[in-house]
Each structure stands twice: as C-alpha cells, then as structure tokens.
Amino acid sequence: MRYDILLWDLDGTLTDSKEGITRSVQYALSRLDYPIPEADDLDWIIGPPLKESFKTLLQTTDEALLNQAIIIYRERFREIGIYENIVYPGIPEILFELKEKGCKHLLATSKPRVFAEKILQHFLLEEYFDVIMGSELNGQFAEKETVIEEVLKRVPGNSLSKTVMIGDRKYDVHGARANQIDVIAVGYGYGTVDELQAANPDFIVPSVEGLGKLLLNDLV
C-alpha cells in the first residue's frame, strides 16, 4: 500500500453537499436582502472557509455583517441543509476496504466539526474514522493548513511518508504541502481542472473509481 494514513476532505470528496450549502447561502443572502445567485453559480463556495466566501458575496470585510450572514446560514443549514447531501457512490466501499487492510481514516474539513460529525453519523460513515477534525463554530481551525496540522497531532508516531490528504480543492493541496504530506486531488468534486492542475498535487484522479484504484491497487 502506498499510504496507510488517509486524511479526507468532506464536501466534494466524500459527499456531494452542493444542494444544502448553496440553498443555505441563498437563504442567508435573501434574509440580508442581497442578490441571490443561481445554485450553479455558487460551486466556488464549496471548500473554502464560509466567512471568506461571504466576504466575496457581500463585498465587505465588516465583521458584524459577515458574522450575521454566517449565523443566518447556520439557522437553515443545521436543520435542513446538513441533510441535503449524498455520499458519492463507491466511497463507503473504499473506506471499508482500506480500513480492512489496516489503514487509518481521519477527517480534515474546514466545515464545523459539529456538522461534520452529524453528517458522518447520518450517512453511517463515522465508524470508519479514527479522528474527525473540523473548524469550531467560533472560527478556530477554519484554514485547511491548520486543520491538517491538528489532525496530524492526533496520530502519534505516524510516518508522514505514508500519509496523504485527499480533497477536491486547491486549499487541500496547499494545506497538505504546508504540512509536508502527499496530496491526491479528486476531479469529481468542486475544484476545476485548471485549479487542480495549477495547485500541482501528487496525483489527480477523475473519479471515485480512479481514486479506489490508486489507493487500493497502487495504480496511477
């Protein structure tokens, strides 16, 4: 096996969360009386910290307004949006087979940890993960670099040469590089081909099937 410690992003990597995230963003924009983009024009918000996305959407750095937007977003997301989500077909099988082979799965997401835990529980994925790490509701650990750093602290004696980050956005690649671990970019999520190629991960796989082949059979 090329890797035995696997850090996973959540949105766009394990689950397709577009509906819940975009609808909750639209809800917040509506409540704040801002223009509401179409869902297909909001793919770019899936991945980076929510506050950074609202800075662009609201064209502001006003902390009070940004925090208000996040609070309104979470009103809908925690009750409805969190479950407007599907697991990518094939992901549970990959997680199961890798765990059977002795690999450790760790979640490293910028999504608030309390939401990530509920999502993994809801979709019966929690049992595969030794560590579930995300941001805190107060904004701590929002940057992917910091999330990965914290996850790695929770794996005593791990070998970085056998550790990999798996994600769909440039933030996953940059976070992994900052922590000196390999990174696999998946092309079925929300990062564009140009974005992923420019970030220069160790591997780019176009599909869940391709990811499984790389991880399970050590094929490129």
Side-chain angles (χ1 to χ4, degrees):
M1 299 291 289
R2 186 187 298 270
Y3 303 110
D4 52 27
I5 298 173
L6 300 100
L7 280 64
W8 294 84
D9 177 45
L10 180 57
D11 298 324
T13 302
L14 295 175
T15 70
D16 182 351
S17 53
K18 176 178 177 175
E19 182 179 1
I21 292 175
T22 57
R23 285 189 174 186
S24 297
V25 166
Q26 289 171 328
Y27 171 79
L29 294 174
S30 175
R31 286 275 305 276
L32 293 170
D33 199 26
Y34 273 76
I36 304 172
E38 295 293 329
D40 287 343
D41 294 326
L42 289 171
D43 285 0
W44 60 272
I45 69 174
I46 304 172
L50 189 58
K51 181 176 283 190
E52 295 304 310
S53 297
F54 273 124
K55 284 181 181 178
T56 300
L57 288 166
L58 303 177
Q59 290 293 291
T60 186
T61 57
D62 182 280
E63 286 292 316
L65 179 56
L66 293 170
N67 290 334
Q68 183 183 8
I70 291 171
I71 289 170
I72 297 171
Y73 168 94
R74 288 175 178 165
E75 286 177 5
R76 185 187 187 281
F77 186 81
R78 65 165 41 95
E79 299 296 332
I80 302 171
I82 193 172
Y83 304 116
E84 294 172 324
N85 200 352
I86 59 172
V87 179
Y88 287 111
I91 285 294
E93 291 79 5
I94 291 174
L95 294 174
F96 173 79
E97 194 165 347
L98 286 167
K99 194 172 181 69
E100 285 290 295
K101 292 178 180 293
C103 295
K104 290 186 179 296
H105 298 302
L106 306 95
L107 192 74
T109 176
S110 293
K111 182 182 290 298
R113 177 178 49 81
V114 293
F115 296 152
E117 289 173 342
K118 288 183 178 180
I119 290 167
L120 293 184
Q121 290 166 3
H122 179 73
F123 290 112
L124 306 179
L125 299 179
E126 183 186 30
E127 63 182 291
Y128 299 118
F129 286 85
D130 293 274
V131 174
I132 299 173
M133 183 68 192
S135 63
E136 298 298 334
L137 293 176
N138 64 6
Q140 187 180 19
F141 306 132
E143 300 297 331
K144 187 54 68 84
E145 175 181 341
T146 307
V147 174
I148 294 173
E149 181 182 0
E150 289 300 312
V151 169
L152 293 176
K153 289 178 182 178
R154 289 160 169 75
V155 187
N158 69 297
S159 169
L160 295 184
S161 65
K162 297 284 285 182
T163 302
V164 66
M165 177 71 206
I166 304 164
D168 69 313
R169 298 296 307 273
K170 62 183 178 182
Y171 310 99
D172 301 300
V173 180
H174 298 160
R177 294 287 184 239
N179 285 279
Q180 300 179 319
I181 60 173
D182 282 4
V183 56
I184 299 169
V186 300
Y188 56 81
Y190 291 99
T192 65
V193 172
D194 288 344
E195 175 186 319
L196 296 179
Q197 289 179 341
N200 194 30
D202 295 283
F203 304 96
I204 299 178
V205 293
S207 63
V208 174
E209 181 183 9
L211 178 62
K213 287 180 179 179
L214 173 62
L215 294 175
L216 291 165
N217 301 319
D218 202 21
L219 298 176
V220 178

